[in-house]
């Protein structure tokens, strides 16, 4: 076969690619531009695939976006939520969740905001499949928060009169509010201010003076009771532990 024939054969072969890398590229486009504004032409260019290969691997634009949302949840949301399982201290767990959320939302290497929250804002009347995926993400966060809070209440660390379902929804709403703020401002201190202020709503918290001192950064490090970890120091804020159960 002559050189011209070999060249034509190479052009005819579908390009090999890594699905996760392709999804990451598509994620950045959707995250930056929004689902509605993103065109297939932009996706073809960003992924480096021809249109036929893109459709063959991921389906149409909506099918690709659904895969991107799943990838986003695995790559980013799961890391933030994992803080809730890493600390035995419920206050510390919720604070670290909000802290990781703030760090993610203000990471200058990434597009602004949260892809889930951006989708809700930009496409409030989106398709049923997209709405279900986003709603499932929000519900999953609320459920994870509720489980941490419920266990703390059962152990006596939180007042039995407090409504743990409402508190879980409150902190889930705080996270969504932080995402909105990060979308419209380049000042990360505003996002951390929301997280810090939200933690002052904690029921049956330590003494006001102790909580204020710790939330203001009055301690450099917090020794977490979760899995023997030492929480990283932050100049802006550090967490504080739960009060002891009554009678202990």
């Amino acid at each position: 076969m002559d050189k011209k024939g070999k060249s034509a054969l190479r052009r005819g072969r579908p390009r090999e690619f890594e699905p996760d890398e392709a999804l990451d590229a598509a994620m950045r486009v959707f995250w930056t531009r929004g689902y509605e504004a993103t065109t297939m032409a932009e996706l073809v260019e960003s992924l480096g695939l021809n249109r036929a290969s893109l459709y063959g691997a991921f389906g149409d634009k909506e099918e690709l976006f659904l895969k991107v949302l799943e990838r986003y949840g695995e790559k980013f949301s799961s890391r933030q939520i994992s803080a809730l399982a890493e600390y035995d201290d419920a206050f510390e767990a919720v604070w670290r969740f909000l802290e990781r959320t703030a760090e993610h939302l203000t990471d200058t290497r990434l597009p602004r905001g949260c892809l889930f929250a951006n989708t809700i804002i930009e496409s409030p009347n989106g398709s049923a499949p997209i709405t279900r995926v986003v709603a499932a993400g929000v519900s999953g966060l609320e459920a994870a928060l509720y489980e941490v809070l419920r266990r703390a209440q059962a152990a006596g660390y939180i007042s039995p009169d407090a409504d743990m379902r409402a508190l879980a929804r409150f902190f889930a709403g705080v996270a969504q509010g932080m995402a909105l703020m990060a979308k419209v401002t380049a000042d990360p201190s505003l996002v951390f201010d929301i997280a810090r202020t939200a933690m002052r709503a904690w029921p049956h918290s330590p003494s006001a003076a102790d909580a204020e001192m710790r939330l203001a950064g009055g301690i450099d490090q917090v020794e977490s009771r979760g899995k023997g970890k030492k929480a990283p120091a932050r100049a802006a804020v550090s967490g504080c532990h739960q009060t002891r159960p009554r009678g202990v």
Side-chain angles (χ1 to χ4, degrees):
M1 184 181 295
D2 59 19
K3 292 183 179 180
K4 185 179 294 185
K6 290 180 180 179
S7 177
L9 181 60
R10 284 195 296 270
R11 287 197 301 270
R13 290 173 179 166
R15 177 178 173 178
E16 294 182 0
F17 66 95
E18 289 294 331
D20 285 347
E21 292 180 4
L23 287 175
D24 287 345
M27 183 193 303
R28 182 168 285 274
V29 178
F30 283 125
W31 197 346
T32 302
R33 298 271 293 146
Y35 174 72
E36 298 292 344
T38 297
T39 66
M40 289 302 292
E42 290 173 320
L43 292 168
V44 166
E45 181 179 358
S46 296
L47 273 64
L49 301 174
N50 61 47
R51 192 175 291 260
S53 295
L54 192 155
Y55 276 105
F58 302 109
D60 62 18
K61 176 181 168 181
E62 182 177 286
E63 290 174 310
L64 172 59
F65 187 58
L66 290 171
K67 292 180 175 67
V68 163
L69 288 174
E70 181 180 356
R71 173 72 172 163
Y72 179 87
E74 294 171 349
K75 191 171 183 178
F76 296 109
S77 298
S78 61
R79 178 185 176 275
Q80 296 156 226
I81 295 175
S82 68
L84 296 172
E86 291 175 7
Y87 299 90
D88 292 334
D89 184 317
F91 187 104
E92 182 78 5
V94 174
W95 163 247
R96 294 304 171 187
F97 157 70
L98 292 178
E99 183 183 48
R100 287 186 190 178
T101 298
E103 289 171 347
H104 166 65
L105 294 171
T106 58
D107 189 337
T108 57
R109 297 168 297 178
L110 301 172
R112 284 190 183 180
C114 160
L115 183 58
F116 282 178
N118 290 358
T119 301
I120 296 171
I121 296 167
E122 296 165 358
S123 305
N125 300 314
S127 71
I130 292 176
T131 300
R132 280 196 298 269
V133 170
V134 174
V138 175
S139 296
L141 169 58
E142 180 190 320
L145 285 163
Y146 174 73
E147 184 59 24
V148 169
L149 296 168
R150 183 194 63 77
R151 288 200 304 266
Q153 187 179 51
Y157 289 113
I158 298 177
S159 169
D161 298 328
D163 185 337
M164 294 301 94
R165 180 64 67 184
L167 192 61
R169 288 170 178 162
F170 167 73
F171 282 118
V174 167
Q176 296 302 313
M178 290 165 62
L180 175 59
M181 185 63 71
K183 180 71 173 174
V184 300
T185 181
D187 185 354
S189 68
L190 299 184
V191 180
F192 279 96
D193 280 348
I194 294 172
R196 187 164 45 241
T197 301
M199 293 307 299
R200 294 192 174 97
W202 191 267
H204 200 60
S205 60
S207 68
D210 183 56
E212 288 297 324
M213 181 275 289
R214 292 171 183 269
L215 286 168
I219 55 176
D220 294 327
Q221 290 186 332
V222 176
E223 183 65 35
S224 168
R225 291 200 295 266
K227 300 184 179 178
K229 291 188 175 181
K230 176 170 285 189
R234 286 197 59 84
V237 61
S238 295
C240 65
H241 293 304
Q242 302 158 331
T243 53
R244 296 175 66 84
R246 294 187 182 92
V248 175

